[in-house]
Amino acid sequence: MLVVDAHRGAHPTPMHSEKAVLRLAEQITRTGDLSRAGADSLVRAVESAKAAAARLGCEEVMAFATSAVREAKNAPKVLAKVQEQTGVELKVLSGIDESRLTFLAVRRWFGWSAGKLLVLDIGGGSLEVAMGRDEEPDLAESLPLGAGRTTRTRFQHDPPTRSELIATSAWLEEQLTPLAKKVAKLGEPDRVVATSKTFRSLARLTGAAPSAIGPHVRRTLTDTALRQLIAFISRMTAHDLAQLEGVSASRSHQLVAGALVAQATMRALSLEELEICPWALREGVILRRLDHSNGADETVGGSARLDLVDGERAR
């Protein structure tokens, strides 16, 4: 997904947002390259986003890419193609930076009274986990366990077979064991928070309030509710899942994988409940940019952020 956020002044809330679903995490070939079709769609989306920023009168453009582009073997060639054809230089965020910026957004949303935060974020290509008491986390990790990637690499059927579900759950448990040890060394968190479209969709399907009610309503996802939800959605095709409230057609095919990643992470970290935060990577990038500005002189007029995410993150 590519997102354009245009904002003015020092308030981090975007005034305008345009989104284009690219699903780049699913455009990685067997050799590890971003496919030609994926690269072409990226160029078109960046050009469209650039035009939107110009139309909105933005004076500054920040453009960055995450998991799918970061891990593509032909990333330098793809980035060069984007710059040559659009004039936009995409900067690649590391997985650790993704985790740190998302943590910053969550910290600013909940404030210092939240104490020690544990933050989880499932994207299309990666899972980010961060933990700490300050605005800079003591632990920031990024694992290649995104919903889109897991769907592409673990499932061959729609809906996935029982053997695929069992094998994937066991595999995820194994992958998350080292992370669980690192988190355990930091002690118990005061608040456990989840961000991203995947977690929001799962929470909505288990009874959380719809987005139309507003961002300040408390929304949670429990391990018990998630287990019951997986038993239900794992038997449905992507087409049928897209008919559920809170599930978009562009992401329905990776919902089951996302749910398995969420469940495995909660169990590995011994978590019974997550609180959903409406702010995530997008807000973290904007907040960091505003932190580094020199006041009004650098934020006069409009600015735009072209956010190339890994195919899943709809902020």
Side-chain angles (χ1 to χ4, degrees):
M1 171 175 294
L2 188 132
V3 183
V4 180
D5 284 307
H7 57 94
R8 292 177 173 82
H11 199 284
T13 301
M15 292 177 61
H16 181 83
S17 181
E18 293 190 17
K19 301 179 182 182
V21 177
L22 303 182
R23 288 161 54 172
L24 295 183
E26 298 169 36
Q27 294 291 327
I28 302 298
T29 67
R30 291 184 177 181
T31 61
D33 289 338
L34 180 64
S35 69
R36 177 177 296 181
D40 289 342
S41 67
L42 171 57
V43 169
R44 290 192 298 270
V46 170
E47 188 61 53
S48 176
K50 179 183 176 182
R55 185 177 70 252
L56 293 163
C58 297
E59 297 176 358
E60 177 186 1
V61 171
M62 295 182 291
F64 63 92
T66 59
S67 176
V69 175
R70 178 173 67 237
E71 296 172 12
K73 291 183 178 180
N74 61 339
K77 187 177 296 185
V78 171
L79 294 172
K81 179 177 181 178
V82 171
Q83 185 167 12
E84 177 183 351
Q85 297 190 22
T86 70
V88 174
E89 180 184 2
L90 284 175
K91 297 181 179 180
V92 180
L93 277 180
S94 70
I96 300 303
D97 283 340
E98 279 191 67
S99 185
R100 291 172 56 244
L101 289 167
T102 300
F103 185 88
L104 171 64
V106 174
R107 168 60 71 192
R108 294 285 179 89
W109 179 265
F110 286 107
W112 294 107
S113 62
K116 185 191 296 184
L117 287 173
L118 173 58
V119 178
L120 314 179
D121 187 333
I122 299 174
S126 58
L127 162 71
E128 273 69 53
V129 178
M131 187 172 181
R133 291 186 177 276
D134 209 331
E135 289 198 335
E136 283 292 329
D138 298 317
L139 171 72
E141 296 283 330
S142 179
L143 303 176
L145 302 177
R149 184 196 301 270
T150 302
T151 300
R152 174 172 57 86
T153 60
R154 304 294 306 185
F155 297 160
Q156 296 182 2
H157 302 86
D158 179 25
T161 63
R162 178 172 175 76
S163 60
E164 286 176 336
L165 294 171
I166 293 174
T168 299
S169 294
W171 175 77
L172 287 169
E173 180 181 353
E174 179 182 350
Q175 297 299 307
L176 288 164
T177 298
L179 172 67
K181 293 179 180 179
K182 292 180 181 179
V183 172
K185 289 182 179 179
L186 297 179
E188 291 291 326
D190 296 310
R191 198 163 198 160
V192 183
V193 180
T195 74
S196 78
K197 178 64 175 179
T198 294
F199 276 118
R200 290 200 301 270
S201 294
L202 295 172
R204 179 72 188 102
L205 290 172
T206 57
S211 59
I213 294 181
H216 297 287
V217 176
R218 188 173 188 270
R219 297 172 174 88
T220 63
L221 175 67
T222 67
D223 178 64
T224 299
L226 182 57
R227 182 181 70 251
Q228 295 171 346
L229 178 64
I230 291 174
F232 175 64
I233 64 175
S234 62
R235 298 193 296 267
M236 302 174 65
T237 65
H239 178 270
D240 290 337
L241 288 171
Q243 311 308 310
L244 299 177
E245 184 179 357
V247 180
S248 64
S250 63
R251 298 180 184 84
S252 61
H253 67 292
Q254 61 187 42
L255 182 65
V256 174
L260 291 181
V261 173
Q263 182 183 58
T265 305
M266 292 181 71
R267 291 184 173 179
L269 304 183
S270 301
L271 306 174
E272 296 183 358
E273 181 179 85
L274 310 173
E275 187 168 358
I276 308 300
C277 178
W279 279 7
L281 178 61
R282 177 179 66 189
E283 288 75 19
V285 170
I286 295 172
L287 288 164
R288 180 62 74 213
R289 170 65 185 85
L290 294 176
D291 286 346
H292 290 170
S293 71
N294 291 321
D297 289 344
E298 290 194 10
T299 55
V300 169
S303 65
R305 186 183 55 82
L306 309 186
D307 170 11
L308 169 64
V309 296
D310 52 21
E312 197 280 339
R313 301 177 196 277
R315 315 287 187 186

